[in-house]
């Protein structure tokens, strides 16, 4: 699994708008209809299908800076970010991605101002109820959320449960929203669960292996729990990722 730090060194600023439309671009110019070009295009598509990641993770970042650079309210940045997310989800569905995990709100984000946290909670709830549900209907998406959902506003908890129930059993792409999620906390809780089973005599220490540990993680709800590609978005020029 490639860490976000490793990818930030390779790709310091990713323009997700360009990435999300890559699969839709057409070839233009005087040689657009040549047989040789057609063969090359088919070859590129075949190679792309083989190399296409099964699980893409997106760490949403840069919305606040994008708004500040334009002297706009922070809420405008978060709403613009959610609009871009719709195009990204659509493109991932059309490209045949199996799973898209969106890291929207980490445990550390609770340290932000109460005003910004309230804005984010409303943006998440509105997005799930409207744009995401339209995508669920269009692409047969199965939606799930991971994280400490018990500390989210009750209305957002209800919206998440409602969306999970509606999309349960769908056969399209998996869209996972990581909200109030901490990878470190996930590992700690998995360790505690395994330690408790050892203490109760359910398992032996020698039974513990990578597979058992993975089964205790929140991400175990997925067929492909580990992202093949993890991208931390940013602000590039005038574009919001």
């Amino acid at each position: 699994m490639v860490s976000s730090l490793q990818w930030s060194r390779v790709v310091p600023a990713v323009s997700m708008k360009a990435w999300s439309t890559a699969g839709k671009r057409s070839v233009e110019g005087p040689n657009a209809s040549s047989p040789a070009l057609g063969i090359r295009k088919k070859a590129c598509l075949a190679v792309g299908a083989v190399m296409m990641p099964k699980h893409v993770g997106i760490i949403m970042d840069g919305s606040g800076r994008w708004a500040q650079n334009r002297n706009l309210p922070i809420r405008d940045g978060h709403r613009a970010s959610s609009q871009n997310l719709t195009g990204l989800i659509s493109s991932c569905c059309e490209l045949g991605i199996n799973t898209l995990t969106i890291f929207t709100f980490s445990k550390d984000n609770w340290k932000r101002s109460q005003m910004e946290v309230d804005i984010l909670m409303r943006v998440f709830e509105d997005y799930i109820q409207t744009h995401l549900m339209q995508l669920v209907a269009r692409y047969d998406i199965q939606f799930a959320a991971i994280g400490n959902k018990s500390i989210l506003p009750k209305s957002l908890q209800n919206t998440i449960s409602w969306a999970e129930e509606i999309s349960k059993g769908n056969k399209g792409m998996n869209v996972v929203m990581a909200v109030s999620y901490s990878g470190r906390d996930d590992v700690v809780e998995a360790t505690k669960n395994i330690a408790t089973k050892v203490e109760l005599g359910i398992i032996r220490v020698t039974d513990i292996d990578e597979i058992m540990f993975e089964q205790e993680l929140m991400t175990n709800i997925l067929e492909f729990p580990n992202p093949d590609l993890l991208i931390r978005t940013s602000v590039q020029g005038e574009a919001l990722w």
Side-chain angles (χ1 to χ4, degrees):
M1 174 176 153
V2 181
S3 71
S4 58
L5 175 60
Q6 289 172 314
W7 270 103
S8 66
R9 289 171 179 166
V10 178
V11 188
V14 178
S15 173
M16 289 307 302
K17 189 174 293 184
W19 186 86
S20 66
T21 57
K24 303 178 182 178
R25 290 177 183 166
S26 59
V27 177
E28 299 177 354
N31 298 319
S33 60
S34 69
L37 181 57
I39 293 173
R40 288 198 298 272
K41 282 182 65 179
K42 290 180 180 179
C44 288
L45 289 172
V47 171
V50 173
M51 299 179 65
M52 191 68 67
K54 293 181 175 65
H55 184 174
V56 175
I58 302 292
I59 302 173
M60 296 176 65
D61 192 19
S63 305
R65 291 191 301 278
W66 181 87
Q68 289 172 354
N69 291 344
R70 288 157 181 74
N71 295 317
L72 296 173
I74 293 295
R75 67 172 179 273
D76 288 358
H78 292 307
R79 293 193 184 282
S81 180
S82 68
Q83 291 171 3
N84 282 352
L85 182 59
T86 297
L88 175 63
I89 294 174
S90 297
S91 294
C92 285
C93 289
E94 293 167 8
L95 288 169
I97 303 296
N98 178 280
T99 300
L100 175 66
T101 296
I102 310 155
F103 295 90
T104 58
F105 191 86
S106 72
K107 176 184 175 183
D108 289 340
N109 287 151
W110 288 109
K111 299 175 184 177
R112 298 187 181 192
S113 70
Q114 188 61 49
M115 182 185 72
E116 185 172 3
V117 169
D118 290 343
I119 289 171
L120 283 164
M121 296 298 113
R122 287 196 296 271
V123 168
F124 296 155
E125 187 171 348
D126 291 345
Y127 187 82
I128 294 171
Q129 291 176 345
T130 55
H131 301 289
L132 182 62
M133 284 300 98
Q134 292 172 7
L135 292 166
V136 166
R138 180 177 179 183
Y139 295 106
D140 201 33
I141 286 171
Q142 183 170 355
F143 171 75
I146 59 173
N148 186 1
K149 293 176 279 187
S150 64
I151 60 176
L152 297 174
K154 192 64 179 178
S155 60
L156 179 55
Q157 291 183 44
N158 292 338
T159 296
I160 288 173
S161 298
W162 168 74
E164 289 177 329
E165 182 63 28
I166 283 181
S167 63
K168 183 173 63 178
N170 287 357
K171 304 301 182 183
M173 185 176 74
N174 298 297
V175 173
V176 180
M177 175 183 285
V179 56
S180 192
Y181 175 79
S182 165
R184 291 181 179 180
D185 283 359
D186 202 1
V187 170
V188 169
E189 289 303 314
T191 303
K192 287 180 178 178
N193 291 340
I194 292 174
T196 299
K197 290 179 180 179
V198 172
E199 187 177 9
L200 294 174
I202 299 173
I203 60 173
R204 297 170 298 177
V205 172
T206 52
D207 295 329
I208 302 172
D209 57 15
E210 183 179 339
I211 295 175
M212 178 182 292
F213 194 87
E214 192 171 87
Q215 289 174 344
E216 296 293 338
L217 296 171
M218 292 182 186
T219 53
N220 192 47
I221 62 172
L222 303 171
E223 180 183 358
F224 304 103
N226 297 321
D228 305 300
L229 176 62
L230 182 60
I231 302 170
R232 189 180 189 116
T233 63
S234 184
V235 177
Q236 183 177 17
E238 293 298 312
L240 173 56
W241 54 278

